[in-house]
C-alpha cells in the first residue's frame, strides 16, 4: 500500500454505523478504512495492520471497549497512535476513564453528526 495513504481502523459492531462511517471516510483523499465487528478482531487487525488512527466503539459483543483500548495501546508501535472513541455512552466517569487510559478524544455518537466525525478524523490525520 502507498505509504502516503493513511490507514484507519474502525472497530464497531453496528453494521449500519460501520458502513456509514466507512463510506464517508473512503471519500476522503488518501484514506483506507478497515473495519472490525468486535474487539478481538480489532486488536488483531491493529497488531497486523498498524493503522494510523483507530475509531473505537465501547459497546462491543465480546470485549469491553476500554479493554480493547488498553490492548491496542500495549501493542508494539501502537502506543502513540490516536484512538478516538465514538460511543453512545455519555457518562462522565466513562469518558474520563477512557481518556485516562490513553484515548485521544471521546465523542458521543448521538451528539455528533457523521459529517462531523469525518471532519474530526480528517483533522486528526492532518
Amino acid at each position: 500500500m502507498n505509504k502516503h495513504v493513511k490507514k484507519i481502523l474502525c472497530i464497531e459492531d453496528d453494521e449500519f454505523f460501520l458502513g456509514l462511517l466507512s463510506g464517508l471516510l473512503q471519500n476522503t483523499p488518501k484514506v483506507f478504512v478497515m473495519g472490525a465487528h468486535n474487539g478481538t478482531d480489532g486488536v488483531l487487525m491493529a497488531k497486523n495492520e498498524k493503522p494510523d488512527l483507530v475509531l473505537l466503539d465501547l459497546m462491543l459483543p465480546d470485549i469491553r471497549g476500554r479493554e480493547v483500548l488498553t490492548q491496542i495501546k500495549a501493542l508494539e508501535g501502537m502506543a502513540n497512535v490516536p484512538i478516538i472513541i465514538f460511543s453512545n455512552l455519555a457518562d462522565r466517569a466513562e469518558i474520563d476513564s477512557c481518556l485516562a487510559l490513553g484515548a485521544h478524544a471521546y465523542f458521543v455518537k448521538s451528539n455528533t453528526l457523521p459529517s462531523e466525525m469525518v471532519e474530526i478524523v480528517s483533522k486528526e490525520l492532518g
Side-chain angles (χ1 to χ4, degrees):
M1 179 174 295
N2 184 330
K3 66 181 177 179
H4 299 292
V5 172
K6 300 288 187 172
K7 294 189 284 186
I8 299 172
L9 173 57
C10 187
I11 306 171
E12 169 64 63
D13 66 322
D14 183 308
E15 193 76 41
F16 175 78
F17 187 77
L18 178 60
L20 174 67
L21 195 54
S22 295
L24 290 170
L25 289 169
Q26 289 288 32
N27 291 326
T28 304
K30 298 184 180 181
V31 167
F32 176 73
V33 182
M34 305 168 281
H37 297 284
N38 61 57
T40 302
D41 290 346
V43 172
L44 185 60
M45 288 181 80
K47 179 180 179 181
N48 294 332
E49 299 294 333
K50 302 292 187 219
D52 299 291
L53 177 74
V54 177
L55 302 176
L56 176 62
D57 183 20
L58 294 181
M59 301 300 291
L60 298 168
D62 58 343
I63 309 173
R64 294 269 306 148
R66 284 190 313 229
E67 179 62 25
V68 174
L69 171 64
T70 301
Q71 287 183 31
I72 290 175
K73 284 291 186 182
L75 293 172
E76 183 179 336
M78 292 296 296
N80 294 320
V81 171
I83 298 178
I84 298 175
I85 306 292
F86 283 112
S87 180
N88 277 321
L89 295 174
D91 179 65
R92 187 76 237 171
E94 186 74 29
I95 294 169
D96 291 342
S97 173
C98 288
L99 294 173
L101 289 171
H104 187 73
Y106 191 114
F107 296 92
V108 178
K109 286 182 195 175
S110 59
N111 297 341
T112 311
L113 295 172
S115 60
E116 291 174 311
M117 292 181 188
V118 172
E119 287 176 28
I120 291 163
V121 169
S122 295
K123 182 179 176 186
E124 187 59 45
L125 291 175

